[in-house]
Amino acid sequence: AGGHVLPVSDVAFGPGDSLLASGGEDGQLLCWHLARSTRKPVGGALAPGAVSRIAWHPRERVVLGAHASGLVG
């Protein structure tokens, strides 16, 4: 409920495995808190089209999404 409106194109676990980021073909980057079963958008849609890659900072709760066009947010 309340997730991506188009297929998911990439997922990545955050540090400690309690957070999961998902990027979709809808351009959204969402952060899911697994223990609480909640989610929130991360900066809104990057651009029209798919989020192609997701990367977390190795020790912080910072996530980046890369768009197929080369935009990173």
Side-chain angles (χ1 to χ4, degrees), residues 5 10 21 27 36 42 58-59 62 65 71-73:
V5 295
D10 196 21
R36 296 183 191 147
V42 179
R59 293 176 301 281
V62 176
L71 178 68
V72 175

Side-chain angles (χ1 to χ4, degrees), residues 7-65:
V8 171
S9 51
D10 196 21
V11 295
F13 280 99
D17 295 336
S18 66
L19 297 174
L20 178 73
S22 61
E25 290 182 12
D26 54 8
Q28 291 190 87
L29 180 59
L30 300 177
C31 184
W32 304 83
H33 192 287
L34 301 177
R36 296 183 191 147
S37 298
T38 60
R39 63 121 186 114
K40 69 177 185 176
V42 179
L46 295 175
V51 173
S52 58
R53 295 285 187 262
I54 299 172
W56 285 88
H57 185 283
R59 293 176 301 281
E60 304 291 332
R61 289 185 173 190
V62 176
V63 64
L64 294 173

